[in-house]
Every structure is written in C-alpha cells, then in structure tokens.
Amino acid sequence: MPDETPDPSEAPDVLTDDEGEPDDLPPETVVDEAERLTKLAREAVVDEEAAAYRVDRDERLADHDYTARVREDDTRDVLVLHPEEWVEDGEIRTERIEAVDRGIEIPLSGPGEGDDWQEIDDYNRDVVADVRETHGEDHAANVGALADFVGNHYAKPIHDATADELSEFLTEYYPRNAWPTAAQRDIVEKSVRVAFSVADERCPLGE
C-alpha cells in the first residue's frame, strides 16, 4: 500500500506540552473520528477502500484547517494531527510552528499506546466486568483471557487490538494458556466480538 504521508524523517516530532490545550484545536469528536478512520485505512485490504477512509479523514480535518500524517517511530506508529499552515510542499516547516501544543499525537500501535500498563489493565478489566454483566460468565472468562493477552503481550487496550493480534490470540495464545471449558472454547470467537460490542467498537476480525 502506498505511503500516505511525507517522509517522517523530514519532519520534526510534534508534541503537546503541559500548558493546557489551545482554543483552536479540532473538536474531540473530529479527533476521535480521525483516529477511527486512520485505523480503518490501515486495516483495509483494498487500496481504494483505504484511500476512501483517508480522504474522509482529511476532509473532516480540513474543515478545521488541520491535516494528518502517520509517523513511524522505532517502536510504534503515531497519528499526528497539526495545522495545515505548518506544511509547505509536503513538509513541516519548523519556522511556522508558533505553538507546539496545537499538535495532537495519537499512538496507533506498539507498547503503551500512550498510557501506562496499569491504566490499560484497569480499562481492560472494566471491559471484562461489562461483558460479565451483560453476557455471562463464559464470555467474561474468554474476554479475561483476551485482556491478559493484549495487556501483557502488547500493552494496549482490548479495543486497539488488530486483526492479526486477535488471530494470534485465538489460534496460539488461547489454546495454550486460557484453560477454557468446552463451552467457553466453543464461543471464544463470539466472545472477542462481544468485547468490542460492549463499547460499541468495530471488531477487526473478518466477518
């Protein structure tokens, strides 16, 4: 798939600072949608579908005079949202950056996902509790195993797991480490989908 961004080595890291958010950032709903569309583009198997997701994302950001790129670090990929005025001929011009806190960084992959492990584990355990309350103990046991897997192996929330990571869980980790009952084993793939559905998130597993 063609690279959707300028060469990350030609642009500086754009980090938020600790002085609070400026008033002219895109709305949180737009930022969340940009993250969702970027992830959909990365998961798409057809180039045209991926391009359509990126166009949708870029149009939503352009309404707020923002643009996006994906920076590939050594350990993770990061979605960077920043004002269009920072860019000229596809490159970020450092002399145009007056307030670095107008840049927004969203980790897309790799260890931590921007949070420490305890926060991630607490979140995943809340997902398990929600599944237990709404779908019963067998699904909760399976999602508990999924929480162990994504937390310990990838240090990320359940809902950030990729299709490949979920496949690894189902085919490798679960049979060897979960010690499921026959009933739990029969419904484990459905349990994965349930984990995503309780938070109204799209499950990347193929239909």
Side-chain angles (χ1 to χ4, degrees):
M1 187 180 299
D3 186 7
E4 61 171 291
T5 66
D7 185 350
S9 65
E10 298 175 358
D13 292 353
V14 182
L15 300 171
T16 57
D17 61 22
D18 298 325
E19 297 178 359
E21 295 184 350
D23 295 331
D24 56 352
L25 294 178
E28 184 176 350
T29 54
V30 173
V31 173
D32 290 344
E33 191 67 3
E35 178 184 3
R36 186 183 74 87
L37 291 167
T38 299
K39 289 181 177 179
L40 289 175
R42 289 159 62 88
E43 295 167 1
V45 296
V46 179
D47 287 349
E48 290 78 5
E49 181 184 4
Y53 286 130
R54 290 196 294 268
V55 167
D56 189 0
R57 176 199 66 191
D58 293 347
E59 288 178 348
R60 293 168 186 263
L61 290 171
D63 288 340
H64 302 275
D65 299 319
Y66 262 64
T67 189
R69 68 182 180 92
V70 175
R71 188 184 72 235
E72 297 180 358
D73 293 341
D74 290 339
T75 59
R76 63 184 181 180
D77 297 342
V78 180
L79 174 64
V80 183
L81 311 180
H82 54 78
E84 291 178 337
E85 66 194 49
W86 290 3
V87 180
E88 180 179 346
D89 297 329
E91 296 183 16
I92 292 181
R93 311 293 296 189
T94 56
E95 67 272 14
R96 295 187 177 186
I97 302 176
E98 296 181 356
V100 295
D101 55 352
R102 295 180 66 199
I104 302 169
E105 289 199 346
I106 305 169
L108 297 172
S109 64
E113 294 291 310
D115 298 307
D116 65 38
W117 184 89
Q118 189 59 57
E119 290 173 338
I120 292 169
D121 190 61
D122 289 345
Y123 171 82
N124 287 339
R125 299 306 158 186
D126 286 343
V127 173
V128 175
D130 289 344
V131 170
R132 178 175 290 106
E133 180 178 354
T134 56
H135 294 275
E137 190 60 43
D138 283 340
H139 281 303
N142 286 339
V143 176
L146 177 61
D148 291 339
F149 171 73
V150 296
N152 293 329
H153 288 259
Y154 292 99
K156 62 168 59 176
I158 287 175
H159 301 125
D160 284 347
T162 67
D164 286 344
E165 289 161 358
L166 294 176
S167 178
E168 179 185 357
F169 166 73
L170 291 170
T171 61
E172 298 182 26
Y173 180 91
Y174 184 81
R176 298 174 182 173
N177 299 280
W179 299 95
T181 66
Q184 291 164 359
R185 185 168 54 248
D186 288 343
I187 63 171
V188 62
E189 185 170 336
K190 183 177 180 181
S191 298
V192 172
R193 299 183 188 280
V194 164
F196 282 76
S197 71
V198 295
D200 197 26
E201 295 280 353
R202 174 183 178 272
C203 180
L205 283 178
E207 297 298 332

